[in-house]
Amino acid sequence: MDGPITPQAAERRRPPVIQPGQTYATVTDKISSIVLVRPTTPGWLAGFLVSFALVMLLFYAIAYLLVAGVGIWGVNIPVGWGFAIVNFVWWIGIGHAGTLISAILLLLNQQWRTSINRFAEAMTLFAVACAGLFPLLHLGRPWFFYWLLPYPNAMGVWPQFRSPLVWDVFAVTTYFTVSLIFWFVGLIPDLATLRDRAKKRSSRILYGILAMGWRGSALHWHRYQTAYLLLAGLATPLVVSVHTVVSFDFAVGILPGWHSTIFPPYFVAGAIYSGFAMVLTLAIPLRAVYGLEGFITMRHLENMAKVMLATGWIVAYGYVMENFMAWYSGNTYEGFTAWNRIAGPYGPAYWALILCNVLLPQLLWLKRVRTSVPALFVLALVINVGMWLERFVIVITSLHRDFLPSSWGMYSPTRWDWATLFGSIGLFVALLFLFIRFLPMISIFEMRELVSESPAGD
Amino acid sequence: MPKARTKSPIYGLLAEFDTPAALLVAAGHVREKGYRRMDAYTPFPVEGLAALLGFRYTRVPLITLIGGIFGGLAGYALQYWISAVNYPINVGGRPLHSWPSFIPVTFELSILGAALAAVLGMLALNGLPMPYHPVFHIPRFALASRDRFFLCIESSDSKFDRQETRHFLESLGPRDISDVPY
């Protein structure tokens, strides 16, 4: 250590949220040029083609599913919820960080959110879109998906509103809709910026239509900010409610290992944990490829690492409490399920999840790890895998051995399960590739605002 | 109208400033001088500018509240009517009006109603989408989404006079002044 540290010095030492020397013009030109000026690079094309190939795999898997039915998957009785539900919960969890970063950090006035909120919101949308696919494909007859919605029909039947599965329909569609309008409202001023910067007539018309004639009027800004803040306030309880409702799908059932009051908070923390891991997984390559180190600084990466460390401990507490309650309740079935998770046939998945979600992330206590870009990237990937394993363990181990040993069974995924999982990852990545090519991945007007508030600014 | 006025040949006068601070000072002077029909255009929200232009409060929060209440009531009523009136299913003698299980959907629909009302209300009050607006005639106005700050005194203001208002705007030290045609 070199001498005493005053708070001012400590503040100076923290990496800034925006690199000094940026002006309104430079942030505008830099971010908009990624979309408008920069040519389509071979790297982008290659990445898009690979992910698009995976989208084709997804379509192939879906087409075969529609023809042949869910029998092509590994699901059967007793494990009727296989990869489809694992993937659904995993994706929807990933979709939580975007709204969290945009809404909660906005309300908490955390300025560092500005450079990551836009693509985190896009990530949310695409993850929720991937998530939404799975329960629909799992329906058996996916073409009747609209039966989930309450509409007057010739059959004279209505959905059962006492079922968490119907709550899920409302929670996920509301979440998708609100995330979409939140994202779009955030984009309007930036679409106007692109309209004004675009050289090509076709892009001017396209961005012009999307910008809806935004002209930055002071009165408009006033209403805009009010609406944006209200949306943030609405999205905050919404984001908590969505994974809570998803956890009800399990917790309302009476199956040992699912029927537990800790599920809602534990699911929400897990969702934030995996969401931040996915934001890091995307932010690290993006800032390197597009030279955005001036906007997404080490401070952002370090803050996200700290959020992961904190939520990781909440998740770890959930694991401990599950096992503690299984023992403390004295319930034979709960006790067996906990033991079966740890030492049963799916034990390796449980231990892999403990390694990925609890043990390895403890490296984030070290500042050296938090400030090392490659280490953060690897850890983010590890947590992504760990969170997928967590959902696998929750869904499969509880189902495969329930109350009656005569109804026990084993579950193993087929190639179609894997094709759908990797296909959905391809869909997610392909949508992200399109997003970074056609829309500003960092909120331009909020960066200008940040410049005006920074000491070097006006 | 006190007297029949011929419609001014222009929409207004647009002054361009370099910084938000300069724009705020100018807006203050314009307001002091007695102009009321004016607007400012900035690349990002400038605090206090709307108030200087005489804009005190917005109805967006009220619209959002109404949207939320409507969404929640509609959601609850839908569930009650379906579960207890139109399609009652007796499950082990449990009450048909099982309100605790109606809460999640009521909550979600309240949020949905409020969020849609906030966005649509904001857009409607702002008069968007509006593909055409006179200020778009000025080529330099493209900088309003980059790094310039504009103040427009509209010709519909009773104090507006093409020459006098231009002289007054010049005294505020803008970078540039342009006539905005209709």
Side-chain angles (χ1 to χ4, degrees), chain B residues 29-42:
Chain B
H29 284 303
V30 171
R31 181 148 188 86
E32 246 169 54
K33 190 87 175 172
Y35 289 101
R36 289 296 173 267
R37 311 268 327 198
M38 55 192 173
D39 203 351
Y41 304 93
T42 57

Side-chain angles (χ1 to χ4, degrees), chain A residues 185 188 214 220 223-224 227, chain B residues 60 117-127:
Chain A
V185 167
I188 292 172
W214 181 264
H220 290 188
R223 296 192 188 101
Y224 177 90
Chain B
V60 170
V119 172
L120 297 178
M122 181 270 286
L123 290 177
L125 291 173
N126 283 349

Side-chain angles (χ1 to χ4, degrees), chain A residues 95-298:
Chain A
H96 273 52
T99 311
L100 185 97
I101 290 172
S102 317
I104 299 182
L105 297 184
L106 177 77
L107 297 180
L108 296 177
N109 209 6
Q110 296 291 308
Q111 287 189 333
W112 60 276
R113 76 180 258 291
T114 301
S115 27
I116 50 173
N117 70 331
R118 170 67 48 72
F119 78 81
E121 284 166 35
M123 181 201 81
T124 286
L125 276 181
F126 304 150
V128 175
C130 288
L133 272 179
F134 284 100
L136 297 187
L137 295 179
H138 191 250
L139 287 175
R141 289 183 291 172
W143 50 93
F144 289 134
F145 72 92
Y146 56 89
W147 285 4
L148 292 163
L149 304 170
Y151 72 101
N153 55 65
M155 300 172 286
V157 294
W158 291 96
Q160 171 56 278
F161 280 105
R162 300 175 192 91
S163 161
L165 300 179
V166 172
W167 305 345
D168 231 16
V169 174
F170 282 84
V172 174
T173 48
T174 300
Y175 187 51
F176 185 78
T177 313
V178 173
S179 302
L180 182 69
I181 58 178
F182 195 47
W183 182 68
F184 182 68
V185 167
L187 267 171
I188 292 172
D190 286 359
L191 289 165
T193 300
L194 292 181
R195 172 198 65 202
D196 296 342
R197 300 274 89 70
K199 297 273 180 293
K200 273 198 309 205
R201 188 174 158 76
S202 56
S203 351
R204 272 214 304 274
I205 291 175
L206 189 67
Y207 289 124
I209 290 171
L210 291 171
M212 297 193 294
W214 181 264
R215 52 187 189 274
S217 152
L219 309 186
H220 290 188
W221 276 122
H222 185 73
R223 296 192 188 101
Y224 177 90
Q225 279 191 303
T226 310
Y228 199 67
L229 209 58
L230 285 169
L231 273 182
L234 291 165
T236 301
L238 179 66
V239 75
V240 175
S241 83
V242 175
H243 228 56
T244 301
V245 170
V246 170
S247 81
F248 285 163
D249 291 343
F250 300 94
V252 172
I254 52 160
L255 214 57
W258 285 3
H259 194 56
S260 152
T261 48
I262 201 168
F263 260 42
Y266 154 57
F267 265 53
V268 172
I272 297 166
Y273 190 37
S274 63
F276 269 86
M278 190 55 99
V279 173
L280 268 181
T281 311
L282 302 174
I284 288 170
L286 276 183
R287 75 196 274 275
V289 171
Y290 289 95
L292 298 173
E293 285 92 346
F295 302 144
I296 305 173
T297 63
M298 269 326 290

Side-chain angles (χ1 to χ4, degrees), chain B residues 59-75:
Chain B
R59 277 171 295 166
V60 170
L62 182 67
I63 294 172
T64 308
L65 178 69
I66 294 170
I69 291 173
F70 176 78
L73 287 179

Side-chain angles (χ1 to χ4, degrees), chain A residues 18-39 115 190 193-194 197 286-296 436-437 439-445 447-448 451, chain B residues 145-147:
Chain A
I18 181 167
Q19 226 169 40
Q22 301 282 5
T23 65
Y24 306 132
T26 58
V27 292
T28 308
D29 295 345
K30 171 107 192 165
I31 304 171
S32 62
S33 71
I34 292 175
V35 176
L36 296 172
V37 182
R38 204 182 148 101
S115 27
D190 286 359
T193 300
L194 292 181
R197 300 274 89 70
L286 276 183
R287 75 196 274 275
V289 171
Y290 289 95
L292 298 173
E293 285 92 346
F295 302 144
I296 305 173
I436 57 178
R437 188 72 196 85
L439 291 169
M441 68 177 112
I442 292 179
S443 174
I444 307 175
F445 86 89
M447 290 307 274
R448 288 191 287 249
V451 169
Chain B
S145 66
R146 186 165 179 260
D147 58 349

